[in-house]
Amino acid sequence: MTDLPVMAELRLWQLISPALPVGAYAYSAGLETAIESGWVNDADSLQHWVAGQLEAGLAGLDLPILRRLHRAWARDDHGAVAIWTARLLASRESAELRSEDVHIGRALARLLDSLGVEAAAVLDRGNAVSLATAFALAAHAWDIPVDAACRGYAWAWCENQVAAAVKLIPLGQSDGQWALANISEAIPAAVNAAAALPDEEIGATTPGLAMASSWHETQYTRLFRS
């Protein structure tokens, strides 16, 4: 692991900050239903739920596509950007997961446009967009290497899941940080696995997430957006 240039490191921190105004806090990605169903009820089960998705979901789908989107932006290959964005969105297993991805991606694209990332304006003109699409653009524009971008993307997703669990279970802040510390140990392996994955093997195997996110759309009471 090489050191990041100072400004690239600071921009990565900005990109993965919970204060980033893209609305990620409004979604639980199926976790609310997993808790309602009793699948997740403490720090230990939370760790297994999130780490399982990291290994079977992000490492096989989001992160390898994020790498390809980063490469496409570096080459100014908008055709490849569109292809990989479409493949990622087509792989979302429920309307809720797809809507979440598009909503947060568009919000990040608008923010990047306001911060002077010119190519981001294209993403908010009716084009298909995912969070990974805009995240990869930001990483390229701000000289963030792809491995660091993947680690940051994975960290931000894990942190958002833990933050949601703290509210929903409810879970104490210390227990939440314990779970996050343990989950984050799996991030380097997930990033390495994603880097080695060929195009034809990209995909997620997360049936529990698919069911939870589908059921969340009709869950009687919800704190998080559907």
Side-chain angles (χ1 to χ4, degrees):
M1 187 184 301
T2 57
D3 291 335
L4 285 176
V6 172
M7 287 312 303
E9 181 178 4
L10 293 175
R11 288 291 177 261
L12 178 58
W13 291 354
Q14 181 177 6
L15 193 56
I16 66 175
S17 169
L20 198 73
V22 296
Y25 65 88
Y27 295 92
S28 75
L31 178 61
E32 186 163 24
T33 297
I35 292 171
E36 177 73 15
S37 301
W39 301 349
V40 178
N41 52 34
D42 57 17
D44 188 58
S45 54
L46 172 65
Q47 177 187 343
H48 287 293
W49 173 263
V50 178
Q53 287 187 57
L54 178 62
E55 180 180 354
L58 268 72
L61 182 64
D62 297 66
L63 298 181
I65 289 183
L66 177 63
R67 299 185 72 90
R68 286 155 176 80
L69 287 166
H70 190 282
R71 186 184 310 130
W73 284 119
R75 296 174 178 173
D76 198 26
D77 187 346
H78 290 252
V81 169
I83 288 170
W84 287 112
T85 298
R87 181 162 174 180
L88 180 56
L89 292 177
S91 300
R92 298 307 184 202
E93 296 180 300
S94 71
E96 178 178 275
L97 291 174
R98 189 182 189 282
S99 176
E100 173 185 348
D101 202 0
V102 171
H103 175 84
I104 299 174
R106 287 202 181 285
L108 180 54
R110 289 192 294 271
L111 176 63
L112 293 175
D113 185 32
S114 73
L115 294 175
V117 180
E118 295 182 3
V122 176
L123 295 179
D124 199 32
R125 293 176 184 165
N127 297 285
V129 60
S130 69
L131 172 59
T133 314
F135 197 99
L137 172 59
H140 163 63
W142 292 339
D143 297 320
I144 301 169
V146 67
D147 285 340
C150 286
R151 289 191 294 270
Y153 184 100
W155 168 268
W157 180 84
C158 292
E159 185 178 36
N160 193 65
Q161 287 281 281
V162 170
V166 167
K167 299 174 186 176
L168 289 167
I169 290 176
L171 196 67
Q173 293 287 347
S174 295
D175 284 342
Q177 289 303 308
W178 176 88
L180 184 58
N182 283 279
I183 294 162
S184 65
E185 291 181 1
I187 289 178
V191 171
N192 290 339
L197 208 62
D199 291 358
E200 62 273 16
E201 293 183 16
I202 291 175
T205 309
T206 52
L209 171 63
M211 291 187 292
S213 63
S214 296
W215 294 336
H216 187 251
E217 296 172 14
T218 56
Q219 188 169 319
Y220 181 65
T221 58
R222 299 191 300 271
L223 289 179
F224 288 84
R225 185 171 177 175
S226 181

